[in-house]
Amino acid sequence: METGSPPSAGTARAEPVWTGLPPGLLRMRRLLLVVWLGLLTLAAGLLPGLLAGPAWAAFALLPLALMAGGWVMLERNWRSWRYTERSDDLLISRGVLWRETTVVPYGRMQLVEVTSGPVERHFGLASVQLHTAAAASDARIPGLDPAEAERLRDRLTELGEARSAGL
């Protein structure tokens, strides 16, 4: 028996340690929300206000309401994303209303990519994309720090090669 483990540790599996996404992803998504809905607010307020009268500028309230609701929903969605590396597989959990947990066995991984678009690079973020033999089981972890994304890619690739060697 290992030192410091409870007596029943041999029969019960330890709860995995989940890792959440960095706050930079939330900042990036909120900035995009403000930029796009801010432009829509201006258009919805200025155009009707100038063309049909000042009372019609109230149309700008709809995009503002969407921005307020979106601000809260983005945080809830960001908090819902998490992942954990277990001994045989990677778990990815996400979803606010409908929780979804994806289990990717290391031996089934065929390709692990790190991608970063221009906006992600500006915010110092990268995403890890996992490809498996079944197209429906591909998984993605967005908004990681580039160093963590590369570490995760290297670790998953190493574990995938080790597990698939016996196939």
Side-chain angles (χ1 to χ4, degrees), residues 119-145:
V119 177
E120 284 180 310
R121 277 194 310 273
H122 178 75
F123 282 89
L125 301 172
S127 296
V128 173
Q129 179 77 36
L130 305 147
H131 299 279
T132 61
S137 65
D138 288 358
R140 182 174 163 276
I141 304 173
L144 297 174
D145 294 319

Side-chain angles (χ1 to χ4, degrees), residues 78-157:
W78 170 75
R79 286 188 187 282
S80 76
W81 277 86
R82 57 191 187 150
Y83 66 95
T84 186
E85 300 170 59
R86 298 193 309 181
S87 60
D88 295 325
D89 51 31
L90 176 74
L91 294 180
I92 303 170
S93 179
R94 65 193 167 280
V96 177
L97 294 177
W98 287 272
R99 287 298 287 162
E100 183 177 330
T101 302
T102 304
V103 180
V104 184
Y106 297 133
R108 300 287 180 167
M109 287 184 210
Q110 292 184 331
L111 175 67
V112 182
E113 289 182 298
V114 174
T115 60
S116 185
V119 177
E120 284 180 310
R121 277 194 310 273
H122 178 75
F123 282 89
L125 301 172
S127 296
V128 173
Q129 179 77 36
L130 305 147
H131 299 279
T132 61
S137 65
D138 288 358
R140 182 174 163 276
I141 304 173
L144 297 174
D145 294 319
E148 170 63 8
E150 290 176 13
R151 183 206 65 82
L152 190 58
R153 178 200 57 208
D154 294 344
R155 173 141 170 81
L156 294 176
T157 301

Side-chain angles (χ1 to χ4, degrees), residues 3-71:
T3 309
S5 61
S8 63
T11 58
R13 290 183 69 160
E15 185 66 26
V17 177
W18 292 93
T19 304
L21 300 181
L25 179 64
L26 179 61
R27 282 192 299 274
M28 179 189 78
R29 288 181 174 174
R30 281 183 168 170
L31 178 67
L32 291 173
L33 175 79
V34 168
V35 166
W36 289 112
L37 285 179
L39 291 172
L40 186 61
T41 300
L42 253 95
L46 282 178
L47 290 177
L50 293 174
L51 298 174
W56 289 92
F59 276 113
L61 295 177
L62 181 60
L64 284 177
L66 286 172
M67 190 183 308
W71 189 271

